[in-house]
Amino acid sequence: MIAKTIRQVGHEKDMQDIETLRSFTANIKRKDGIRKFLIPITSIAAVFALVFSLNIYHNNRIMNNMFVTYYTPLEYDQELASRGSESISPGIISAMDAYHKKLYKDALQKFNVMQSVDRNFLIYKAICFIETERLPEAINLLEQLVNDGEGTEYWQQANWYLAISYLGNHQRDKAIKLFNTIIKSNTIYNEEANKMIQKFK
């Protein structure tokens, strides 16, 4: 009877060990199956990520090249002061003198210490931001000038420099939309805007 009990306990233990081994093997097979499934998925995802990254890099390189090729700072309109209804402040004269000498960092510092800047001169402050590689600030200021409407002195220039700044800041969709607006508005930048749109095709 004792021998029978021992055999029975031994048999149950063997069965438990076998079950544990089966479970362990099944688990390994399941993990292998998942691994075999995940490897191709991960590889495909990695390829897509690489293609996406290369596409972004390629688009950014194109936009950088376009920015460098088509951007030139706005020439100072020396008749602007005579067209103004009020006398020009000494601060504006000093800032524009620095701008005319292409000392954009100095000009920007002079603009920044003024409590207010005549709106006709804000386009030049925006150019100073571009020249000192502060594109987000240039964009913010140019958007304000564009929103002032067509009746303002430098509306056409503000649109052009805003579109160019979008390029430099890698905002492709906004740049394309604005270039199309420039073309439809038939501004002085119509031909350049057309060239830009062609480069995106």
Side-chain angles (χ1 to χ4, degrees):
M1 186 169 171
I2 293 171
K4 186 179 177 184
T5 305
I6 290 170
R7 275 199 304 273
Q8 189 175 348
V9 169
H11 178 70
E12 285 175 7
K13 175 105 173 56
D14 287 345
M15 292 307 290
Q16 284 175 355
D17 288 345
I18 289 167
E19 194 55 43
T20 302
L21 188 59
R22 267 192 205 143
S23 179
F24 179 73
T25 307
N27 201 18
I28 288 174
K29 284 181 181 175
R30 190 163 48 252
K31 283 182 180 176
D32 281 347
I34 292 169
R35 198 175 289 120
K36 284 176 187 173
F37 177 73
L38 282 178
I39 288 171
I41 296 293
T42 308
S43 300
I44 291 166
V47 169
F48 274 115
L50 180 63
V51 170
F52 182 70
S53 299
L54 288 173
N55 191 41
I56 289 173
Y57 172 77
H58 177 69
N59 284 335
N60 288 350
R61 195 164 51 84
I62 289 171
M63 286 186 279
N64 287 340
N65 288 340
M66 290 168 72
F67 177 81
V68 169
T69 303
Y70 287 92
Y71 168 76
T72 52
L74 181 65
E75 292 282 330
Y76 174 37
D77 179 2
Q78 296 189 6
E79 295 178 8
L80 177 60
S82 62
R83 293 199 300 275
S85 57
E86 299 174 7
S87 61
I88 304 302
S89 71
I92 287 284
I93 292 170
S94 179
M96 291 312 298
D97 182 54
Y99 183 95
H100 188 60
K101 292 174 182 173
K102 302 188 186 303
L103 303 171
Y104 300 108
K105 188 175 180 181
D106 291 347
L108 186 56
Q109 285 174 343
K110 292 174 191 296
F111 278 124
N112 285 338
V113 295
M114 289 183 237
Q115 286 188 340
S116 64
V117 178
D118 185 293
R119 291 202 77 76
N120 286 341
F121 290 93
L122 286 177
I123 186 79
Y124 296 103
K125 184 177 180 181
I127 300 299
C128 290
F129 278 131
I130 296 171
E131 286 289 333
T132 53
E133 298 179 359
R134 293 165 67 175
L135 279 174
E137 289 161 285
I139 287 168
N140 183 48
L141 189 51
L142 290 164
E143 284 175 341
Q144 291 175 41
L145 292 172
V146 166
N147 290 335
D148 283 348
E150 287 187 55
T152 53
E153 180 87 29
Y154 286 104
W155 184 79
Q156 292 186 36
Q157 290 86 345
N159 273 281
W160 172 252
Y161 282 104
L162 179 56
I164 287 287
S165 297
Y166 283 147
L167 280 181
N169 208 41
H170 303 152
Q171 293 174 271
R172 183 179 182 274
D173 293 343
K174 285 188 173 184
I176 290 172
K177 185 177 178 182
L178 192 48
F179 284 131
N180 280 318
T181 300
I182 291 168
I183 292 165
K184 287 173 190 171
S185 302
N186 201 24
T187 72
I188 56 173
Y189 296 100
N190 190 290
E191 191 177 328
E192 286 88 347
N194 257 315
K195 287 178 187 174
M196 294 295 205
I197 291 298
Q198 294 307 314
K199 287 183 182 294
F200 282 112
K201 289 181 178 177

